[in-house]
Amino acid sequence: MTPAPRTSLLLLTLSLCLLLLAARGMAADTPASSPQQALDYLLKTKLPDSSVWWPNIKSSLFTANLRANLLAPLAMYQGTNTNFCGYAALSYLALHDDPLAYVRFMLALYTDGQATWGATHFNPSPAIHTAAGTLRLKGILDIRPADQLWFLCLADHFKGYLNFFFPRFHPGSEDTFWAAVNYGKFNRIIHELFGYNVRAKGSDLIRPHIPDLFDYLSDCLHTGLTYLYVNNTYLHKKNHNKFKGSFPTHFIVLDAIRKIPDQPDRIDIVYWDYGGRTLRQVSLRFLKKITFGVTVCTKEPAPPTP
């Protein structure tokens, strides 16, 4: 049944209000650079037609992928049936906080085969150099070689306990625990790579004890950029989810949260989930059931000017 025009208008108004709230209400530090600065740097940097380090990536496709990420950072996507979702979530910080650093790093990595971001030096293994640009049957990731390179390099460099049985890349490893990101590893990458202070509550197996989840998340949104570590089999149905397990599988960025008038257990949430923002109405009980971790990211305050 098609909703009445007045109902549709109210829903649209609510959606727009929540998105505006997300844009101005979510605590965020001043970005270190702008997308335009990154685009200008990308335009003036000349690359060879091909790279000896990345034999399966053409520079034209590589730069086109970088440009698309700068113009539409919310469209970053981990690909179909991969375990790159944690790295796609981390990319939200890179593309929103310092897109110029992201582009400089990616261009240096393409040109030299290795590169440094902050204090972290990446020297990908030969298997990664060969694999980047060859992943197939991964949806839009098939035609985004820069994203393939980025995700593979992150997974190759940062390790966690899930890599105990999957320490090295082999063809198809993007679908295994080799590419997976556990909660502690996720928070460690944010701190080590991007220099954020991280306040995390939760784990890979046990939900955090948060008596008043609404108030807690509202406070988080006013403190810093907020990630939720959730069981995505309940939030969305994906092709690779064969059953509804009882463990977390996904990272999302919470943008806004709002109570529904006259419905004390119902809330509206706006969140970024790989490809764009989503507005959902859920119960607090449901949100508490699927949430295994809450991570708040803030920057160190700038030193006072002498």
Side-chain angles (χ1 to χ4, degrees):
M1 180 181 295
T2 304
R6 184 175 180 180
T7 302
S8 300
L9 180 60
L10 288 173
L11 290 173
L12 177 59
T13 302
L14 174 62
S15 301
L16 291 174
C17 287
L18 282 171
L19 289 174
L20 288 172
L21 173 65
R24 70 174 185 268
M26 183 180 67
D29 296 284
T30 303
S33 62
S34 69
Q36 189 58 54
Q37 288 175 302
L39 286 167
D40 292 343
Y41 186 85
L42 179 63
L43 181 63
K44 73 179 184 181
T45 303
K46 303 300 181 183
L47 296 178
D49 291 338
S50 60
S51 169
V52 65
W53 299 104
W54 310 98
N56 296 303
I57 298 180
K58 294 182 179 179
S59 63
S60 58
L61 298 178
F62 182 77
T63 54
N65 187 172
L66 293 180
R67 179 177 173 82
N69 288 346
L70 295 171
L71 292 174
L74 293 179
M76 173 69 76
Y77 185 61
Q78 76 269 19
T80 304
N81 298 334
T82 75
N83 280 337
F84 287 143
C85 65
Y87 302 114
L90 292 165
S91 303
Y92 186 100
L93 272 174
L95 290 170
H96 286 78
D97 176 60
D98 200 350
L100 179 58
Y102 163 77
V103 165
R104 282 176 169 165
F105 172 81
M106 293 295 289
L107 293 178
L109 194 57
Y110 183 80
T111 303
D112 303 325
Q114 55 184 302
T116 299
W117 188 316
T120 305
H121 184 71
F122 290 79
N123 189 8
S125 65
I128 299 301
H129 285 134
T130 303
T134 67
L135 303 186
R136 295 294 180 268
L137 303 179
K138 308 302 178 188
I140 196 171
L141 188 62
D142 290 3
I143 58 172
R144 293 193 167 179
D147 291 348
Q148 291 189 28
L149 185 154
W150 170 242
F151 296 155
L152 286 167
C153 285
L154 286 170
D156 184 62
H157 182 84
F158 291 102
K159 303 298 182 185
Y161 69 84
L162 294 175
N163 295 112
F164 183 80
F165 293 106
F166 300 88
R168 288 177 293 278
F169 177 85
H170 301 285
S173 290
E174 67 276 6
D175 305 334
T176 72
F177 279 126
W178 175 85
V181 179
N182 61 286
Y183 191 47
K185 176 179 172 179
F186 180 82
N187 294 319
R188 175 166 55 88
I189 295 175
I190 291 175
H191 178 68
E192 291 184 4
L193 187 59
F194 303 126
Y196 274 78
N197 292 320
V198 175
R199 187 184 79 193
K201 195 167 189 175
S203 71
D204 294 317
L205 298 175
I206 301 174
R207 299 176 184 87
H209 178 64
I210 304 175
D212 192 330
L213 185 61
F214 178 84
D215 283 350
Y216 183 80
L217 293 179
S218 297
D219 177 69
C220 290
L221 289 173
H222 286 88
T223 302
L225 189 138
T226 302
Y227 284 99
L228 300 185
Y229 187 33
V230 299
N231 183 336
N232 193 49
T233 56
Y234 288 94
L235 196 60
H236 287 294
K237 185 173 181 58
K238 301 286 186 180
N239 293 336
H240 61 283
N241 292 324
K242 305 299 183 185
F243 61 91
K244 291 184 176 181
S246 58
F247 49 85
T249 58
H250 215 48
F251 296 91
I252 62 176
V253 177
L254 182 65
D255 280 347
I257 185 169
R258 173 184 178 273
K259 285 185 176 179
I260 305 299
D262 303 321
Q263 298 185 57
D265 190 50
R266 304 292 295 180
I267 57 171
D268 282 323
I269 57 173
V270 177
Y271 60 92
W272 175 79
D273 181 22
Y274 316 103
R277 283 195 173 99
T278 300
L279 167 66
R280 286 282 302 273
Q281 185 176 118
V282 299
S283 69
L284 276 168
R285 180 181 177 184
F286 172 82
L287 186 60
K288 184 172 287 190
K289 179 179 181 179
I290 67 170
T291 300
F292 282 74
V294 180
T295 294
V296 182
C297 310
T298 57
K299 286 183 180 178
E300 289 280 3
T305 304

